[in-house]
Amino acid sequence: MLFRSRENPRFVSFKDLKVAIDPTYEPFTFKTADGKPTGFDVDIASALCEKIKRKCVFVEQVWDSMIPGLQAKKYDAIISSMTINEERLRVVDFSDKYYFTPSTVVIKNNIAYAGDASLKGKKLGVLKGSTQEKYANGELKKVGAIITPYEAQDQVYLDIKAGRLDGTVADIIEVTGGFLSKPEGKDYKTVGPELYIPKYFGTGVGVAIRKGDKALKDELNVAIKAIRADGTYKTLNDKYFKMDVYGKL
């Protein structure tokens, strides 16, 4: 596709960058009423594409199949709130982080909470293949919580609303925007400490790319620094959040 650059009157070529998203993760990645992808991840992706002079083409993908799809070259990158951790770094590369927010446990208001042992027998839904699922299976299942994985986070909220679940483990920003701030979340609360445990939650959220794609990784890292420096990042952050989601780590 050809575009005219403001800096250069000659026509320049913009190569498509196919970007995988899971549009079930409000406010990071979701769809408008007319089916258009939107959210913080989508806006960040578009801003990065502009910096590297590529055209973002969004490809919808079920979360648990994200990395296999990247390896199969169905798309070039994953920009959909994927946490950088040791397990994933064995099979894909990542850009620098573009945000880092903690996770949290959410349960019904009428459940008396006094630590993880309080969750014995409680049914918690988690996103399949997520860091939250790893944490729930690693820490909460051993105290007797019943952990059920779902293909999409919005399916978790539907089953909470239907009374089939007692709660979830989710990113604190996502669960606030996607559930707690809505009428169906009025009878639920966050409990326990904010969860940053590196062995489960890694070192932040980055852009996942195929192993060895150094050129794209370098371009994206420069672009992330650029949108942080020129105010684009803050504008997008403030569009969706009341806190700085870039994080301190």
Side-chain angles (χ1 to χ4, degrees):
M1 186 170 291
L2 297 177
F3 294 85
R4 187 181 294 276
S5 168
R6 289 182 179 179
E7 292 76 22
N8 189 335
R10 293 178 301 173
F11 283 103
V12 294
S13 177
F14 277 51
K15 181 182 177 183
D16 288 352
L17 185 75
K18 294 183 179 179
V19 176
I21 57 170
D22 173 10
T24 65
Y25 204 63
E26 188 178 356
F28 293 100
T29 316
F30 60 105
K31 290 183 179 180
T32 59
D34 61 359
K36 182 181 177 181
T38 190
F40 181 69
D41 284 324
V42 172
D43 286 357
I44 288 289
S46 296
L48 296 178
C49 280
E50 183 175 345
K51 290 295 183 187
I52 66 174
K53 295 181 169 54
R54 302 279 289 269
K55 179 179 180 292
C56 271
V57 176
F58 294 105
V59 180
E60 293 181 23
Q61 181 69 52
V62 174
W63 180 258
D64 197 39
S65 301
M66 280 280 187
I67 288 177
L70 179 65
Q71 293 171 320
K73 299 185 178 181
K74 293 182 178 179
Y75 30 82
D76 307 300
I78 300 168
I79 307 181
S80 195
S81 292
M82 182 165 281
T83 300
I84 306 163
N85 61 29
E86 290 183 5
E87 181 180 0
R88 289 172 180 154
L89 282 167
R90 287 195 283 268
V91 293
V92 297
D93 286 340
F94 278 93
S95 71
D96 295 338
K97 74 163 187 177
Y98 64 90
Y99 84 84
F100 191 13
T101 53
S103 290
T104 189
V105 177
V106 172
I107 55 174
K108 290 179 180 178
N109 287 337
N110 61 7
I111 296 174
Y113 179 82
D116 289 351
S118 311
L119 301 175
K120 182 179 180 180
K122 300 300 183 286
K123 299 175 182 177
L124 303 177
V126 291
L127 179 62
K128 185 178 180 182
S130 68
T131 54
Q132 291 82 17
E133 182 188 25
K134 298 289 186 185
Y135 168 78
N137 284 330
E139 301 295 328
L140 305 182
K141 190 173 183 178
K142 67 185 181 185
V143 299
I146 301 165
I147 310 301
T148 303
Y150 286 75
E151 293 291 340
Q153 186 66 28
D154 58 356
Q155 294 174 5
V156 174
Y157 300 142
L158 288 174
D159 269 10
I160 290 176
K161 185 178 179 180
R164 288 187 281 268
L165 294 171
D166 298 303
T168 185
V169 183
D171 178 273
I172 196 167
I173 299 294
E174 189 281 330
V175 77
T176 298
F179 179 65
L180 292 173
S181 64
K182 297 184 176 182
E184 53 266 35
K186 66 181 178 62
D187 295 324
Y188 290 79
K189 61 186 177 182
T190 63
V191 295
E194 292 184 344
L195 302 171
Y196 282 104
I197 307 167
K199 77 172 183 176
Y200 296 118
F201 300 105
T203 57
V205 166
V207 180
I209 55 179
R210 280 185 290 277
K211 272 286 183 187
D213 195 347
K214 186 176 184 300
L216 180 56
K217 179 178 179 178
D218 290 346
E219 281 188 300
L220 290 168
N221 285 341
V222 170
I224 290 169
K225 289 182 175 66
I227 66 170
R228 291 278 296 165
D230 69 10
T232 301
Y233 186 95
K234 186 178 188 308
T235 298
L236 297 180
N237 182 100
D238 294 352
K239 176 180 175 181
Y240 294 98
F241 313 115
K242 295 181 179 180
M243 62 176 282
D244 180 5
V245 298
Y246 186 74
K248 296 179 181 180
L249 300 178

